Amino acid sequence: LYFQLPLMLLIITPAIDGLKGEWREAAEILGANRRQYWRMVALPVLTPSVLGCFLLLFANAFGTLATVYALTGSRFAVVPIVLFQQIQGNVLYNPNLGYAIAFGMVLIMAVSNTLYLVLRARAERWQK
């Protein structure tokens, strides 16, 4: 995921901008220091957005073949490369295994995206 850090920055910036100044002021009035504000107010509000961002980036990276192939070649048996090799028809040609791997990828992507939508809905509650 390291090559997706700029994308994460673009996705998480609106959540950080959504922290209301009133929350910081209220925490200061109640005697909280900066560390307590981040630990007790800001991080609980930002947690769904950060977790959702990680899930979105995981889904993006999980389905990427070109980036994995460019970074590692075909030396590592990661799911997109194995799927590519099974469907492409090299020496280990087994299209049924390729279809099973593709179905597993679809399930993992569906779970990941569903969790992202749940976390996004939870994060939007605080944005209102």
Side-chain angles (χ1 to χ4, degrees), residues 3-128:
F3 63 92
Q4 294 187 357
L5 288 177
L7 180 59
M8 182 171 182
L9 185 66
L10 289 173
I11 294 172
I12 205 69
T13 300
I16 293 173
D17 287 341
L19 291 174
K20 296 181 181 173
E22 295 89 17
W23 296 342
R24 178 183 282 282
E25 292 171 6
E28 288 174 357
I29 290 171
L30 293 172
N33 58 25
R34 179 176 284 198
R35 185 176 183 173
Q36 289 172 324
Y37 165 75
W38 279 101
R39 186 171 51 93
M40 296 180 179
V41 178
L43 287 180
V45 170
L46 290 176
T47 298
S49 296
V50 171
L51 292 176
C53 185
F54 276 117
L55 283 170
L56 185 64
L57 294 178
F58 167 77
N60 185 19
F62 187 68
T64 302
L65 172 65
T67 306
V68 173
Y69 200 77
L71 291 175
T72 66
S74 61
R75 293 177 291 173
F76 298 107
V78 294
V79 175
I81 290 177
V82 172
L83 175 62
F84 177 70
Q85 290 173 346
Q86 295 302 322
I87 303 261
Q88 180 188 18
N90 64 0
V91 177
L92 302 174
Y93 180 64
N94 187 353
N96 292 329
L97 177 61
Y99 297 145
I101 292 171
F103 182 71
M105 284 182 72
V106 168
L107 289 178
I108 290 171
M109 297 294 278
V111 169
S112 177
N113 287 331
T114 302
L115 287 173
Y116 169 73
L117 291 174
V118 169
L119 288 169
R120 189 184 75 180
R122 185 175 180 143
E124 286 176 354
R125 238 186 330 173
W126 291 101
Q127 300 292 326
K128 293 181 182 179

